[in-house]
Amino acid sequence: MQSAKSIEQEARERAGDVSKEELLLIRKAEENHALTEPELTALLGSDAAEEALAAAADRVRKAYVGDGVHLRGLIEFSSICRQNCMYCGLRRDNAKAERYRLDADTIVDLARKAKGYGYPTVVLQSGEDLFFDTEKICGILHRIKALDLAITLSIGERSRAEYAAFREAGADRYLLRIETTDVPLYERMDPGMRWSNRDRCLRDLRELGYEVGTGTLVGLPGQTIPMIARDILYYQKMDADMIGVGPFIPNPDTPIGEEPAGSFHLTRRLVSLLRLLLPEANIPATTAMETMVAMGREIVLSSGANVVMPNVTEGDYRRKYALYPGKICVADTPADCRHCMGGRIAAMGRYVAADKGFRHHHRGIAQAAKHGLGKECEHA
Ligand code: SAM
Ligand code: SF4
Ligand code: FES
């Protein structure tokens, strides 16, 4: 793991070389929230532009979504998966994965504790485990909803009818990364899965009134920078409410475990460009970023992000939900993580937001002033 100091030092050294053309592109993105694919490719590929991009993204983040950091409590409730994604430790052919499945009472109890720690939202995440059928998921959703928590589901691909039932039972948001918009790459990395079905899921979720979260896995073998530029345009076109991106971290128990890891810097530039092009979106500083670099979440929160998803899963289950090696916080308790993140956010001069963190459909405090609208943000 690289230290935060050397990452920042490195970035500062490179920042001296940023070209006039790059600075003009960054200004254009900050003002118009639009760039073309070649422009995005140029900035994504530029080490020299990284600091200027992060600074612009930080200004846009402050203007549009403010200084509040939304904490969402992550409950990893099943490590059983029917899919076989090439990069993931939970893939069904990984005989070394330690499998577990929490029962409904335990899941609801973790949600209750999450509320006790002051998290207004829980994220229920798992492998694609069909033991949790519509009835079971809806039962859990009803019970958690009664606790007055916002609920994000992240349980993979399901039918439109199931998504409709989950929404009806109280799910507010759904996280389903597209991983890559390059269809052949997606279908190589996710054998047996169809890109068109993943895209269909995202469209169904949108039509059913969910807040839709998606994102890119950065550094998949064969992925190019223009592909990532097209991912950004795809998120912009679908008007994604949340975009979570993280570097690929090789897991030796998977078929691509010997491939190089994704780049922290490229992922950071992606976060900044996402903030510039989708100024209202909720963008997490992901666990994978901190797994690669100490204080990686602070760096990303200062580069455009406004959400953190601390783990509220307890005990040995944290370790067993092993997508990749070196996962942070496996020996910590949910109380440790809450305390830790609260302190770190305050140390940055930001604060932990108290609300449920729904997307703000507004033009931002600064933008509203600039456009003479003269009023503060409003929830949709
Ligand atoms: N099964 C659901 C799905 O795939 O949407 C939700 C859980 S899945 C573990 C959540 C995310 O973990 C995936 O979207 C993927 O991007 C990420 N992930 C899996 N393996 C990873 C790895 N080796 N490095 C970084 N992220 C990984
Ligand atoms: Fe299963 Fe999700 Fe991992 Fe793919 S990424 S193997 S669907 S848990
Ligand atoms: Fe888990 Fe810091 S976030 S201990």
Side-chain angles (χ1 to χ4, degrees):
M1 188 197 278
Q2 204 171 341
S3 79
K5 194 163 171 221
S6 72
I7 287 275
E8 279 170 350
Q9 226 160 20
E10 233 182 274
R12 263 199 305 276
E13 280 160 20
R14 287 191 315 251
D17 303 329
V18 60
S19 70
K20 264 196 193 133
E21 291 74 22
E22 287 169 339
L23 288 173
L24 280 175
L25 283 183
I26 295 170
R27 189 183 310 159
K28 177 176 162 194
E30 186 170 355
E31 288 177 358
N32 305 334
H33 312 299
L35 289 176
T36 63
E37 184 191 318
E39 291 169 340
L40 287 167
T41 301
L43 290 175
L44 279 169
S46 168
D47 281 348
E50 187 163 322
E51 282 308 305
L53 263 179
D58 201 44
R59 289 190 290 273
V60 169
R61 185 271 308 152
K62 193 173 171 74
Y64 277 82
V65 295
D67 282 339
V69 176
H70 296 280
L71 298 184
R72 315 210 198 277
L74 176 66
I75 301 174
E76 300 162 331
F77 69 91
S78 169
S79 68
I80 297 170
C81 190
R82 66 179 169 140
Q83 301 293 7
N84 224 4
C85 306
M86 301 288 272
Y87 41 82
C88 179
L90 303 189
R91 68 198 304 271
R92 67 167 184 268
D93 286 353
N94 181 12
K96 290 195 187 154
E98 296 178 64
R99 309 289 178 175
Y100 69 88
R101 184 183 272 153
L102 303 186
D103 61 34
D105 288 349
T106 307
I107 298 169
V108 175
D109 198 43
L110 288 176
R112 191 173 295 110
K113 289 180 180 167
K115 187 176 165 90
Y117 296 123
Y119 297 127
T121 304
V122 286
V123 182
L124 301 179
Q125 192 180 83
S126 68
E128 287 202 11
D129 181 359
L130 296 186
F131 167 83
F132 288 98
D133 57 14
T134 312
E135 202 186 326
K136 289 195 183 74
I137 293 286
C138 288
I140 293 165
L141 290 171
H142 280 299
R143 291 173 66 190
I144 296 181
K145 207 66 197 163
L147 302 171
D148 187 29
L149 284 161
I151 308 174
T152 305
L153 270 183
S154 179
I155 62 172
E157 297 181 12
R158 299 276 178 132
S159 68
R160 184 182 174 104
E162 284 173 294
Y163 288 149
F166 302 154
R167 177 88 185 109
E168 184 80 7
D172 302 286
R173 311 181 173 110
Y174 206 100
L175 284 183
L176 185 77
R177 284 187 180 173
I178 196 77
E179 318 290 1
T180 172
T181 51
D182 188 83
V183 177
L185 175 62
Y186 178 87
E187 294 184 356
R188 272 201 313 279
M189 288 295 117
D190 299 81
M193 297 171 85
R194 286 276 157 262
W195 188 89
S196 56
N197 193 49
R198 206 140 181 105
D199 179 58
R200 184 276 304 163
C201 289
L202 289 168
R203 279 185 281 111
D204 280 348
L205 291 162
R206 162 67 78 227
E207 285 165 18
L208 291 164
Y210 283 87
E211 280 204 348
V212 179
T214 183
T216 297
L217 190 47
V218 177
L220 288 169
Q223 188 183 43
T224 63
I225 289 186
M227 286 177 192
I228 299 176
R230 290 193 286 275
D231 293 353
I232 301 177
L233 295 173
Y234 173 82
Y235 304 141
Q236 211 179 22
K237 188 163 174 217
M238 72 179 278
D239 191 23
D241 299 301
M242 298 174 282
I243 309 128
V245 300
F248 158 64
I249 301 175
N251 182 331
D253 300 330
T254 63
I256 57 170
E258 299 300 316
E259 295 288 339
S263 155
F264 179 90
H265 290 292
L266 173 58
T267 312
R268 181 183 180 215
R269 295 195 290 274
L270 173 56
V271 166
S272 297
L273 282 164
L274 288 167
R275 172 59 66 204
L276 293 174
L277 267 68
L278 290 103
E280 299 174 346
N282 282 317
I283 301 179
T286 54
T287 308
M289 287 297 263
E290 183 138 339
T291 299
M292 290 196 85
V293 169
M295 297 179 70
R297 283 181 291 186
E298 274 94 337
I299 296 173
V300 180
L301 284 172
S302 306
S303 311
N306 70 322
V307 173
V308 176
M309 302 196 326
N311 202 330
V312 295
T313 317
E314 290 182 352
D316 213 25
Y317 298 123
R318 283 182 178 227
R319 183 184 58 75
K320 292 183 180 167
Y321 196 82
L323 314 181
Y324 46 74
K327 188 179 167 198
I328 55 167
C329 304
V330 287
D332 297 301
T333 66
D336 293 335
C337 291
R338 174 64 184 85
H339 187 70
C340 165
M341 279 324 304
R344 290 167 62 174
I345 289 164
M348 295 177 69
R350 305 266 285 273
Y351 64 92
V352 175
D355 63 289
K356 294 191 170 80
F358 288 107
R359 173 180 171 182
H360 290 237
H361 288 270
H362 66 75
R363 294 192 56 79
I365 300 163
Q367 288 297 310
K370 195 165 124 188
H371 289 84
L373 301 177
K375 60 176 183 175
E376 292 223 336
C377 54
E378 287 168 0
H379 285 280

